[in-house]
Amino acid sequence: MGIVFNNVVKQYPNTASPAVDDVSLEIKEGEFIVFLGPSGCGKTTLLKMVNRLYDPTSGTISIDGVDIRHVQAEQLRRGIGYVIQQNGLFPHMTIEANIAVVPRLLNWDEAKIDKRIDELLELVHLDPKVFRKRRPSQLSGGQQQRVGIARALAADPKVMLMDEPFGAIDAITRSSLQEELQRIQRLTKKTILFVTHDVEEAFRLADRIIIMQAGKVVQFAAPYDILMQPANDFIRQLVGERDVYRKMGFLKVEDVYASGDEAAAASEGVSLNDDLKLVFNRMVEERVREYPVVDANNRRVGFVTMDLILTKLAN
Ligand SMILES: Nc1ncnc2c1ncn2[C@@H]1O[C@H](COP(=O)(O)OP(=O)(O)O)[C@@H](O)[C@H]1O
Ligand SMILES: [Mg+2]
């Protein structure tokens, strides 16, 4: 199941070359996929074909085994959440009415919609009592994007398309939104197709990254594999191959730790999901060369040492 692209081409009228050029991909259900590439490489075009804002010139896209050409566009879109940079909220409607748009189209009863609005606002950490009756202009950019995410999740779609959703948000708000999105995905297990031109964002969020260049997919792999084996010079440059410290910022403890109990458990543990750069900084500050590693349930799973980090990164 999941989403499958088969030889997808999109050529706009009167253009010399296709915006999306023979893309074939298999995305698994529940994956967090990030499309990364410079402006103009075809990311938005590719995404818009998934909810049929555009149709391919040739090739096919299927979701859970169904060719989306055989699904009515409106019906398809109700099953796919869509979040864009300019959040697309209706300015004249309250936050609650914005979130209720798709549930109302689906004829949910009002009590169920009401409950869903509270649930979603809580999920994106906006207090329903404070925000339900406000209008989009009475919210900060970051809060508006939270509402955009809540709205996209309203009817519990299996797939979320997100096109540079945090592109216009300041760095600090952006990183808290990134964290929340990861949390939401862990809770809801959506399949997420997320577009960005920001390398750090891609590495922070993705289960797998699709790197695009001039309409083509040039690499499709897990972040760690892209760092360690960039497929071409363009990608090598993009991820800054030789810069060990920079690489660390893209990695987590789970990418380098060793299982087993050898390390002293004297100090407080770090968790699998911690940023390697922060852990490395802490080692340097505390003059400690190793930490025990714990999982999300605080169960000991292994250890991480400075040597392990440096050896992995030196490869
Ligand atoms: N509606 C359109 N008509 C003609 N060309 C377009 C249209 N939309 C995008 N393009 C062109 O297609 C290419 C890919 O654009 P886009 O998918 O928006 O890239 P990205 O999202 O990666 O910046 C670009 O060369 C762009 O100029
Ligand atoms: Mg774009």
Side-chain angles (χ1 to χ4, degrees):
M1 294 289 120
I3 304 176
V4 179
F5 294 75
N6 261 317
N7 304 108
V8 173
V9 175
K10 175 69 184 179
Q11 178 133 25
Y12 292 107
N14 309 315
T15 55
S17 50
V20 169
D21 192 357
D22 196 18
V23 166
S24 296
L25 295 167
E26 281 187 37
I27 291 162
K28 294 181 211 130
E29 198 172 330
E31 272 194 300
F32 198 132
I33 296 292
V34 175
F35 292 87
L36 172 67
S39 176
C41 72
K43 306 180 297 294
T44 294
T45 304
L46 195 62
L47 215 59
K48 283 184 169 174
M49 289 191 279
V50 177
N51 61 5
R52 294 199 55 196
L53 291 172
Y54 299 147
D55 284 321
T57 309
S58 62
T60 59
I61 300 172
S62 58
I63 300 182
D64 291 344
V66 178
D67 184 336
I68 62 172
R69 268 180 318 186
H70 303 316
V71 185
Q72 230 199 346
E74 265 69 54
Q75 193 198 336
L76 180 76
R77 281 176 213 147
R78 281 173 205 168
I80 299 179
Y82 189 40
V83 185
I84 56 176
Q85 183 169 327
Q86 315 74 8
N87 56 59
L89 299 177
F90 299 113
H92 58 287
M93 284 186 181
T94 59
I95 299 310
E96 59 181 10
N98 265 286
I99 294 175
V101 168
V102 174
R104 290 215 165 101
L105 283 173
L106 295 172
N107 288 319
W108 290 17
D109 72 62
E110 284 300 316
K112 182 175 170 192
I113 294 176
D114 200 56
K115 189 162 158 268
R116 184 71 178 146
I117 293 168
D118 281 346
E119 195 177 279
L120 286 162
L121 283 172
E122 273 156 22
L123 181 70
V124 298
H125 289 163
L126 294 173
D127 183 350
K129 288 191 287 297
V130 176
F131 289 98
R132 280 186 67 134
K133 302 289 181 198
R134 288 203 192 171
R135 292 185 198 268
S137 63
Q138 297 169 306
L139 270 58
S140 71
Q143 290 166 340
Q144 289 181 27
Q145 283 315 76
R146 286 168 198 264
V147 175
I149 293 170
R151 185 177 64 169
L153 287 166
D156 205 20
K158 289 182 75 173
V159 177
M160 292 276 280
L161 307 179
M162 309 187 78
D163 194 346
E164 312 223 18
F166 310 142
I169 306 288
D170 66 87
I172 293 170
T173 310
R174 175 182 257 226
S175 88
S176 80
L177 285 170
Q178 288 166 346
E179 251 172 59
E180 300 220 348
L181 182 60
Q182 281 187 301
R183 181 181 55 83
I184 288 167
Q185 201 239 4
R186 279 196 292 271
L187 284 171
T188 60
K189 306 195 166 55
K190 303 292 175 204
T191 307
I192 299 183
L193 309 192
F194 185 107
V195 162
T196 186
H197 63 264
D198 178 333
V199 180
E200 307 230 4
E201 181 165 74
F203 277 80
R204 182 170 301 164
L205 293 174
D207 292 324
R208 289 196 291 167
I209 298 177
I210 293 169
I211 300 186
M212 293 185 65
Q213 195 181 6
K216 290 188 189 303
V217 170
V218 286
Q219 191 162 15
F220 182 15
Y224 184 78
D225 295 324
I226 288 178
L227 279 174
M228 292 306 158
Q229 288 161 325
N232 64 22
D233 285 344
F234 163 75
I235 301 171
R236 200 163 292 126
Q237 232 172 9
L238 195 72
V239 301
E241 189 203 27
R242 278 175 299 279
D243 185 341
V244 167
Y245 197 63
R246 194 169 132 79
K247 261 191 217 177
M248 252 180 235
F250 299 146
L251 294 174
K252 294 190 174 354
V253 170
E254 66 183 353
D255 295 318
V256 304
Y257 82 106
S259 50
D261 281 332
E262 286 97 285
S267 54
E268 195 191 327
V270 296
S271 65
L272 285 170
N273 207 29
D274 284 348
D275 268 11
L276 209 51
K277 197 164 171 177
L278 297 180
V279 169
F280 188 82
N281 284 345
R282 199 180 127 193
M283 280 179 176
V284 173
E285 261 168 40
E286 296 179 0
R287 296 163 201 272
V288 170
R289 295 189 71 83
E290 56 192 43
Y291 292 123
V293 175
V294 298
D295 66 13
N297 302 318
N298 221 20
R299 206 171 45 91
R300 177 77 188 274
V301 291
F303 60 93
V304 60
T305 67
M306 199 172 270
D307 281 348
L308 272 171
I309 295 174
L310 294 174
T311 311
K312 283 270 185 183
L313 288 170
N315 287 334

